[in-house]
């Protein structure tokens, strides 16, 4: 820290400000505040106490406001200037608003000129002012009707003027006059619950609000306010109430508050505005500011956010205990009966309580027993606050000796087999330190984020959400939304096995290497240590190792191909594994990011499950014959079309140049639909565009756009650009060559919200009209979408990856493209395809958060695979250069 910064801090501490002249406050305040801000920021970067810096800024602002008040309103009798909110608490961050109340003894109009002069002077000084003007009577009336006003007044601090006015307000808002402790508690609890709901009731938001998110500064303030109101103590003394907080909790709260203050201070300093959202850009900047570096396994930003999440979890835990303590013992206590559970525990008001809180030290088995009882008794609401605290205080006893005890291993497996509150108790185990100690490998992923938009939660939160989803399937809570998953999950013979697989499926993340392989090793060790049979151990290990398989096959393979189904079924091996894997996969996708799941992904997984089930029932030694499949499809389509006046000879002529892939991948109903429409469309100068909703196939639950148009350069690019401009995303594409220079293209699309447009007839007509217009030969081909790139996407500048491999059986080349998602991406790819004469046979398009992972099955213009290594490298380079230059231009 420079000598200048030290000198400025010393001046503030002594009651002076550098360059500030109280006799000429309006003229010198702005310059003085700037010097103070620079000195405080320098001290912050140098590692000075953030609390001291907040207090120093508060004193500096006090000095200026009092001087401005003296010059503008000192002569006004019956007026008082009051600091409120964070300013009232003395917690001013660099760009915090200055909350003031001008308290008047009489009608405020009597002081209008003086107050207006003062407010103008404050704004001229550069301070961001939020102010109100009230009489004592108006203050009390508003406080009696509005809990927020009352809370502000509880934190009020007199700066200047007639202080006895504030004394009158303080007396008037006491619990004897309004808002009893009980009423205040319930109002604040409702306020907190509503606030938490806005953030999905989790500390683990991708871009948390350091002030308002669960586990943030507001949760600390809620604790203080409730204690202040109940015990009639000042804010500064709230953490010192011995009957509520242990010394360890008090130390944790103070350290957690200082950490959150540091994060908020850094946010304000970096953004140069009152920013409380920990946006991705600021996450990286703060990690760099605090000296964190990428370590090969985890990014610096992931290291920083893991610490943030763990502090948020700690604050949330203590907030949780104290809220529950008030509910049980201080506010809602009654003479409810006590029901003995055993010699160690009893139930009261639905809560499980320890008979002796000290017993955990001598009988650590009781820690696990408490969770087990809750999972076995449906009438237990939760573990009582004091018991939770005792469990947390003794979590250090869950050590290697505890883990090695056969009785504890048996109890943990019994817990996983229990009928009630499995997920709730697993969350309790995580929050209060048991699970991370009992399973040290799980402890390593607590608070571990993945710096992308695909994973909405930290690894531990995602894991517990996955298990919650499985529980919902089994209890029927999700039956309407997930009918197949619910039926399959309820058939699983040993529920504990899928819970174990769920606990371990992502446990290898953050260590480098393949997390599925690493997790399978840990899962196998867990199973063997806990006495599971070889068969059960093998199943759990296989599930962890293959938990991404079903998702990958359904979204990246052509599951209308019987060979793909046969290979998948062969890898799975039997129906039981298929059932477990399907349940785990659906739960996993829904726990990764709520926006990922839609009818499209649902239909893909359901189709893969159904076809694999048929393959297993038929016997792996009896694969479907492709030629027989094609023959059956053609015959079914002919039967449908004969009813519509076509003869077999006419159809054979129409289908003369259709390849086998067309009859392999399309349903008979769609072939009949295509054929009849093409036969009735005589003007080949005009493209034929049709749309319908499709069901009961591998491409179910999407809007199917069928396009029959004259082949031309940039056609794929133009189609993609037009669909994107219409706010439609492509999820699957099938491209077939047709006779007479005509193409036969099918695109399966959803709107930007992941839904079909089937119920909007007007929009469907508009899409058909726009595509028809765009595809006429006179239309220009440069219509690439120019929509703005979402802010969050700009925070992830991953380089494009493009790689070509060969499918020798199908005589196709496979192009994989992984790139940041941007408007117009597919259209730009289409232009590269034209440049190199690439023909697309089919495509799998998927967006995962901020990135796309697209697969294109391609040939050259002669329908041959692209095998020349130099040409493949040129194509890959062109794709990377084209897409990355687009990203850089929009960043």
């Amino acid at each position: 820290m420079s000598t200048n910064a030290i000198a400025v801090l010393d001046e503030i501490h002594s009651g002076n400000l550098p360059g500030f002249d109280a006799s000429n406050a309006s003229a010198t305040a702005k310059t003085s505040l700037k010097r103070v801000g620079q000195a405080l920021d320098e001290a912050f970067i140098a590692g000075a106490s953030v609390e001291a810096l907040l207090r120093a800024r508060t004193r500096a602002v006090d000095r200026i406001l009092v001087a401005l008040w003296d010059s503008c309103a000192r002569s006004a009798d019956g007026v008082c200037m009051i600091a409120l909110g964070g300013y009232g608490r003395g917690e001013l961050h660099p760009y915090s608003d200055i909350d003031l109340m001008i308290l008047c003894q009489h009608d405020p109009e009597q002081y209008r000129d003086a107050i207006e002069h003062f407010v103008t002077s404050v704004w001229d000084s550069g301070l961001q002012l939020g102010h109100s003007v009230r009489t004592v009577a108006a203050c009390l009336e508003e406080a009696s009707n509005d809990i927020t006003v009352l809370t502000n007044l509880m934190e009020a601090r007199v700066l200047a003027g007639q202080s006895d006015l504030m004394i009158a307000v303080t007396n008037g808002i006491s619990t004897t006059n309004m808002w009893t402790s009980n009423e205040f508690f319930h109002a604040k609890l409702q306020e907190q619950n509503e606030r938490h709901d806005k953030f999905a009731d989790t500390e683990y938001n991708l871009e948390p609000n350091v002030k308002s998110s669960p586990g943030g500064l507001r949760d600390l303030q809620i604790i203080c306010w409730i204690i202040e109101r109940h015990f009639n103590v000042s804010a500064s003394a709230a953490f010192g109430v011995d009957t509520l907080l242990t010394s360890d909790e008090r130390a944790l709260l103070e350290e957690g508050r200082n950490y959150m203050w540091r994060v908020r201070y850094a946010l304000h300093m970096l953004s140069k505005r009152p920013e409380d959202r920990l946006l991705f850009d600021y996450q990286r900047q703060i990690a760099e500011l605090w000296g964190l570096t990428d370590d090969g396994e985890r990014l610096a930003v992931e290291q920083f956010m893991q610490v943030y999440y763990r502090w948020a979890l700690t604050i949330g835990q203590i907030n949780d205990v104290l809220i529950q303590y008030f509910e049980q013992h201080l506010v809602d206590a009654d003479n409810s009966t006590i029901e003995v559970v055993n010699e160690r525990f009893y139930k009261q008001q639905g809560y499980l309580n320890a008979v002796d809180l000290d017993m955990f030290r001598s009988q650590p088995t009781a820690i696990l027993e408490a969770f087990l009882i809750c999972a076995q008794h449906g009438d237990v609401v939760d573990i009582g606050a004091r018991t939770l605290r005792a469990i947390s205080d003794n979590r250090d006893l869950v050590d290697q000796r505890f883990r090695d005890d056969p009785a504890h291993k048996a109890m943990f497996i019994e817990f996983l087999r229990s009928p009630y509150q499995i997920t709730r108790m697993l969350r309790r185990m995580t929050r209060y330190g048991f699970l991370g100690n009992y399973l040290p490998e799980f402890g390593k992923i607590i608070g571990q984020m993945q710096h992308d938009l695909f994973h909405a939660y930290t690894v531990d939160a995602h894991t517990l959400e996955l298990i919650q989803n499985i529980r919902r399937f089994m209890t029927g809570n999700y039956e309407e939304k997930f009918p197949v998953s619910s039926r399959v999950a309820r058939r699983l013979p040993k529920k504990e096995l899928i819970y174990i697989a769920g606990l371990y499926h992502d446990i290898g993340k953050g260590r480098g290497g393949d997390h599925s392989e690493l997790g399978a090793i840990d899962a196998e060790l867990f199973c063997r240590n806990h006495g599971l049979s070889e068969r059960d151990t093998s199943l759990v290990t296989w599930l962890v190792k293959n938990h991404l398989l079903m998702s990958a096959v359904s979204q990246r393979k052509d599951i209308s191909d019987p060979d793909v189904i046969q290979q998948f079924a062969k890898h799975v091996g039997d129906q039981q594994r298929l059932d477990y894997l399907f349940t785990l996969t659906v739960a996993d996708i829904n726990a990764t990011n709520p926006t990922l799941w839609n009818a499209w992904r649902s239909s893909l997984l359901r189709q893969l499950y159904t076809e694999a089930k048929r393959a297993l029932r038929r016997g792996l030694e009896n694969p479907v014959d492709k030629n027989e499949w094609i023959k059956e499809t053609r015959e079914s389509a002919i039967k449908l079309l004969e009813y519509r006046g076509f003869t077999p000879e006419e159809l054979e002529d129409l289908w003369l140049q259709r390849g086998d892939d067309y009859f392999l991948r399309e349903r008979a109903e769609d072939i009949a639909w295509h054929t009849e429409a093409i036969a009735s469309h005589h003007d080949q100068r005009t493209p034929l565009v049709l749309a319908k909703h499709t069901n009961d196939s591998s491409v179910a639950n999407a809007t199917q756009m069928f396009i029959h148009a004259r082949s031309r350069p940039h056609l794929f690019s133009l189609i993609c650009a037009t669909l994107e401009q219409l706010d439609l995303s492509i999820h699957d594409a099938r491209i077939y060559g047709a006779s007479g220079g005509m193409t036969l293209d099918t695109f399966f699309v959803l709107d930007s919200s992941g839904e079909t447009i089937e119920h909007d007839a007007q929009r469907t007509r508009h899409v058909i009209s726009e595509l028809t217009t765009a595809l006429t030969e006179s239309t220009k081909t440069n219509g690439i979408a120019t929509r703005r790139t979402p802010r969050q996407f700009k925070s992830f500048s991953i380089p494009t990856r493009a790689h070509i491999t060969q499918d020798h059986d199908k005589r196709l080349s496979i192009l994989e493209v992984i790139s940041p998602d941007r408007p117009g991406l597919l259209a730009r790819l289409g232009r590269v395809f034209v440049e190199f004469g690439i023909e697309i046979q089919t495509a799998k398009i998927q967006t995962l958060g901020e990135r796309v992972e697209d697969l294109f099955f391609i040939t050259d213009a002669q329908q041959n695979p692209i095998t020349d290594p130099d040409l493949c490298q040129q194509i890959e380079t062109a794709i990377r250069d084209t897409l990355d230059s687009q990203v850089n231009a929009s960043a």
Side-chain angles (χ1 to χ4, degrees):
M1 193 188 316
S2 70
T3 54
N4 178 62
I6 294 172
V8 170
L9 292 174
D10 287 342
E11 277 197 72
I12 296 172
H13 186 70
S14 64
N16 299 315
L17 293 181
F20 180 67
D21 181 0
S23 64
N24 192 15
S26 297
T28 59
K30 183 175 289 189
T31 301
S32 179
L33 279 171
K34 184 176 180 181
R35 288 185 61 187
V36 167
Q38 290 172 343
L40 295 179
D41 288 354
E42 185 181 333
F44 176 77
I45 293 171
S49 162
V50 67
E51 182 175 7
L53 299 180
L54 300 183
R55 306 301 183 207
R57 190 181 301 276
T58 301
R59 285 195 295 271
V61 172
D62 284 354
R63 181 79 175 88
I64 289 172
L65 289 179
V66 170
L68 291 173
W69 179 268
D70 286 346
S71 66
C72 300
R74 185 174 187 178
S75 60
D77 293 329
V79 185
C80 183
M81 177 172 59
I82 311 293
L84 301 174
Y87 179 38
R89 295 191 300 272
E91 301 169 8
L92 268 186
H93 288 267
Y95 288 89
S96 293
D97 286 347
I98 310 301
D99 292 325
L100 291 178
M101 178 175 67
I102 311 300
L103 195 57
C104 304
Q105 188 171 16
H106 306 294
D107 186 350
E109 282 296 320
Q110 296 183 26
Y111 316 102
R112 184 184 185 92
D113 291 342
I115 293 172
E116 287 184 349
H117 186 195
F118 168 71
V119 170
T120 300
S121 298
V122 174
W123 279 105
D124 289 343
S125 73
L127 293 170
Q128 299 299 308
L129 180 66
H131 75 285
S132 59
V133 182
R134 296 189 179 102
T135 62
V136 172
C139 234
L140 295 176
E141 182 179 358
E142 291 190 41
S144 66
N145 296 321
D146 190 336
I147 192 70
T148 303
V149 174
L150 173 70
T151 307
N152 266 329
L153 293 175
M154 286 166 52
E155 299 180 313
R157 182 168 57 89
V158 177
L159 296 175
Q162 193 170 322
S163 59
D164 60 328
L165 297 177
M166 191 60 218
I167 293 173
V169 170
T170 302
N171 292 334
I173 64 172
S174 68
T175 54
T176 57
N177 294 313
M178 65 176 70
W179 292 101
T180 65
S181 177
N182 194 320
E183 293 169 338
F184 183 84
F185 168 78
H186 284 294
K188 280 298 172 187
L189 180 58
Q190 180 181 351
E191 182 183 289
Q192 175 170 285
N193 291 339
E194 290 172 354
R195 174 170 51 82
H196 284 186
D197 285 345
K198 293 179 182 178
F199 297 95
D201 200 24
T202 178
E203 293 87 357
Y204 298 131
N205 292 284
L206 280 175
E207 294 181 313
N209 187 304
V210 71
K211 180 179 178 182
S212 301
S213 288
L217 287 166
R218 186 64 80 199
D219 279 9
L220 283 168
Q221 290 159 5
I222 286 283
I223 294 171
C224 287
W225 291 330
I226 292 172
I227 295 174
E228 286 174 49
R229 192 69 180 168
H230 187 82
F231 291 99
N232 193 28
V233 296
S234 65
S236 60
F239 286 172
V241 178
D242 293 333
T243 57
L244 283 181
L245 292 168
T246 66
S247 58
D248 287 344
E249 287 172 338
R250 189 177 304 114
L252 281 172
L253 283 180
E254 290 174 353
E255 191 175 351
R257 179 190 60 190
N258 288 338
Y259 179 84
M260 291 297 176
W261 275 347
R262 286 185 67 214
V263 175
R264 192 181 185 206
Y265 192 111
L267 277 173
H268 281 215
M269 184 180 71
L270 293 170
S271 66
K272 301 189 184 305
R273 62 177 184 269
E275 179 63 81
D276 293 327
R277 297 170 301 164
L278 200 46
L279 305 180
F280 291 120
D281 275 350
Y282 299 133
Q283 292 174 16
R284 287 200 295 267
Q285 291 179 51
I286 294 174
E288 182 180 352
L289 179 68
W290 291 353
L292 298 172
T293 56
D294 300 348
D295 62 9
E297 291 186 353
R298 290 188 303 159
L299 300 174
V301 65
E302 293 174 344
Q303 298 170 48
F304 160 65
M305 289 304 295
Q306 183 164 27
V307 176
Y308 173 87
Y309 288 132
R310 289 192 171 189
W311 273 118
L313 190 68
T314 297
I315 293 169
Q317 170 195 329
I318 300 175
N319 172 281
D320 192 35
V321 167
L322 290 177
I323 291 294
Q324 195 178 120
Y325 180 88
F326 268 90
E327 283 185 305
Q328 285 183 258
H329 302 286
L330 297 180
V331 177
D332 292 332
D334 57 22
N335 296 319
S336 59
T337 59
I338 291 176
E339 181 182 344
V340 175
V341 176
N342 57 32
E343 65 274 14
R344 287 174 294 279
F345 295 98
Y346 67 91
K347 286 187 296 183
Q348 187 176 25
Q349 298 175 279
Y351 289 92
L352 183 72
N353 299 285
V355 173
D356 178 7
L357 296 176
D358 293 329
M359 74 169 174
F360 294 110
R361 179 59 54 179
S362 59
Q363 302 177 58
T365 300
I367 298 175
L368 181 51
E369 184 184 10
F371 296 114
L372 178 59
I373 289 171
C374 290
Q376 291 181 330
H377 295 75
D379 57 347
V380 175
V381 175
D382 205 340
I383 301 174
R386 286 173 171 161
T387 304
L388 279 173
R389 174 184 280 157
I391 288 172
S392 180
D393 289 344
N394 290 284
R395 63 181 179 269
D396 60 299
L397 297 177
V398 184
D399 54 13
Q400 190 60 49
R401 182 179 177 182
F402 185 101
R403 292 189 286 271
D404 289 341
D405 190 321
H408 297 157
K409 295 176 182 179
M411 287 174 68
F412 191 75
I413 296 298
E414 188 179 354
F415 165 79
L416 294 176
R417 292 170 176 155
S418 300
Y420 307 109
Q421 299 198 78
I422 296 291
T423 312
R424 184 181 181 86
M425 287 303 108
L426 283 172
R427 293 186 195 279
R428 284 279 183 258
M429 288 179 175
T430 302
R431 173 164 279 192
Y432 293 96
F434 174 84
L435 195 59
N437 283 356
Y438 186 72
L439 303 176
E441 57 272 30
F442 188 85
K444 294 176 183 178
I445 62 169
I446 292 176
Q448 180 181 314
M449 74 170 293
Q450 297 167 86
H451 191 60
D452 56 36
L453 292 176
F454 177 60
H455 298 90
Y457 309 106
T458 58
V459 182
D460 59 314
H462 158 72
T463 297
L464 297 182
E465 187 65 23
L466 178 152
I467 295 174
Q468 176 74 75
N469 286 338
I470 295 172
R471 292 287 295 170
R472 289 165 176 156
F473 298 157
M474 291 180 176
T475 58
N477 292 342
Y478 263 19
E479 188 154 13
E480 184 175 346
K481 186 177 180 182
F482 298 97
V484 179
S485 301
S486 296
R487 284 193 291 272
V488 172
R490 287 197 291 270
R491 290 201 301 265
L492 300 179
K494 295 183 178 181
K495 310 295 192 288
E496 69 273 16
L497 300 185
I498 197 166
Y499 296 147
I500 297 169
L503 277 172
Y504 278 87
H505 83 290
D506 274 356
I507 214 161
K509 287 192 171 179
R511 302 187 210 165
D514 186 332
H515 78 277
S516 299
E517 296 280 354
L518 294 171
I521 294 170
D522 286 347
E524 182 178 10
L525 184 60
F526 172 92
C527 292
R528 296 194 185 282
N529 284 342
H530 286 75
L532 271 66
S533 67
E534 284 295 326
R535 179 182 178 85
D536 291 347
T537 299
S538 175
L539 174 58
V540 171
T541 305
W542 183 88
L543 285 170
V544 174
K545 187 175 181 178
N546 293 277
H547 73 272
L548 298 175
L549 173 67
M550 197 167 193
S551 178
V553 171
S554 67
Q555 296 177 40
R556 300 171 67 82
K557 299 283 187 180
D558 184 1
I559 58 176
S560 62
D561 185 337
D563 285 347
V564 171
I565 300 299
Q566 180 71 11
Q567 290 168 11
F568 173 74
K570 186 176 180 180
H571 187 88
V572 172
D574 59 52
Q575 183 64 46
Q576 186 181 91
R577 279 189 174 184
L578 179 63
D579 287 347
Y580 275 100
L581 182 61
F582 178 70
T583 304
L584 184 64
T585 302
V586 176
D588 189 17
I589 294 174
N590 280 275
T592 299
N593 190 321
T595 63
L596 284 178
W597 187 256
N598 53 33
W600 173 261
R601 281 188 169 87
S602 170
S603 68
L604 292 177
L605 285 170
R606 187 171 63 246
Q607 177 72 8
L608 178 57
Y609 174 80
T610 303
E611 294 298 337
K613 184 177 179 180
R614 289 172 180 164
L616 291 169
R617 187 187 307 126
R618 187 171 55 244
L620 296 175
E621 70 281 3
N622 300 309
V624 171
D625 181 80
K626 271 192 177 183
N627 292 328
E628 188 65 27
W629 182 301
I630 292 168
K631 180 182 177 182
E632 289 180 4
T633 300
R634 290 173 69 101
E635 289 176 352
S636 297
I638 289 172
K639 287 181 180 179
L640 290 171
L641 288 164
E642 281 182 327
Y643 284 105
R644 300 171 190 172
F646 290 88
T647 66
E649 293 74 22
E650 288 176 316
L651 294 174
E652 290 298 333
D653 186 54
L654 285 169
W655 294 343
L656 186 62
Q657 296 190 36
R658 297 280 191 272
D660 287 348
D661 272 359
Y662 179 70
F663 296 96
L664 190 65
R665 291 155 60 194
E666 299 293 341
R667 296 186 307 156
E669 295 88 341
D670 287 332
I671 292 171
W673 178 49
H674 299 164
T675 303
E676 186 175 17
I678 292 170
S680 303
H681 188 72
H682 304 294
D683 184 4
Q684 293 192 355
R685 294 172 301 174
T686 304
L688 170 65
V689 181
L690 304 173
K692 75 171 183 177
H693 180 67
T694 180
N695 278 311
D696 302 325
S697 76
S698 63
V699 291
N701 293 304
T703 299
Q704 182 180 168
M705 305 300 307
F706 173 68
I707 300 169
H708 184 59
R710 185 166 297 281
S711 179
R712 55 191 284 199
H714 299 290
L715 184 64
F716 176 80
S717 178
L718 185 56
I719 293 171
C720 293
T722 304
L723 289 171
E724 185 166 33
Q725 288 169 345
L726 293 167
D727 200 29
L728 296 173
S729 59
I730 301 169
H731 287 257
D732 201 357
R734 296 174 180 177
I735 317 295
Y736 307 102
S739 60
M742 303 292 287
T743 63
L744 194 67
D745 301 340
T746 303
F747 294 85
F748 298 91
V749 301
L750 299 171
D751 67 15
S752 57
S753 63
E755 302 297 329
T756 71
I757 59 172
E758 61 167 320
H759 300 300
D760 191 339
Q762 183 176 353
R763 186 179 181 190
T764 301
R765 288 193 297 270
H766 176 69
V767 169
I768 292 173
S769 174
E770 289 296 309
L771 272 172
T772 303
T773 301
L775 298 179
T776 57
E777 291 187 344
S778 60
T779 302
K780 295 181 179 180
T781 60
N782 60 349
I784 293 180
T786 57
R787 292 183 287 109
R788 292 184 62 186
T789 301
R791 170 192 60 78
Q792 290 180 320
F793 286 10
K794 295 181 180 181
S795 298
F796 298 92
S797 56
I798 59 171
T800 294
R801 285 185 284 163
H803 184 58
I804 296 176
T805 56
Q806 306 300 324
D807 186 333
H808 299 291
D809 292 337
K810 293 187 176 181
R811 291 188 52 76
L812 291 171
S813 297
I814 304 171
L815 168 65
E816 180 179 31
V817 177
I818 301 175
S819 182
D821 190 20
R822 290 295 187 276
L825 183 145
L826 284 175
R828 286 179 168 84
L829 271 177
R831 291 186 170 184
V832 175
F833 295 158
V834 171
E835 178 184 350
F836 287 92
I838 294 172
E839 298 286 340
I840 304 171
Q841 303 306 314
T842 189
K844 287 281 188 176
I845 314 295
Q846 69 172 330
T847 302
L848 304 173
E850 78 288 349
R851 73 183 190 276
V852 297
E853 294 188 3
D854 297 343
L855 285 176
F856 299 91
F857 300 85
I858 59 176
T859 64
D860 61 18
Q862 287 73 45
Q863 307 298 306
N864 295 315
I866 303 170
T867 56
D868 182 353
D870 291 336
L871 179 58
C872 288
Q873 186 173 1
Q874 291 175 33
I875 294 169
E876 292 167 358
T877 300
I879 290 172
R880 288 193 294 266
D881 290 346
T882 298
L883 298 186
D884 285 347
S885 63
Q886 176 200 359
V887 170
N888 295 333
S890 62

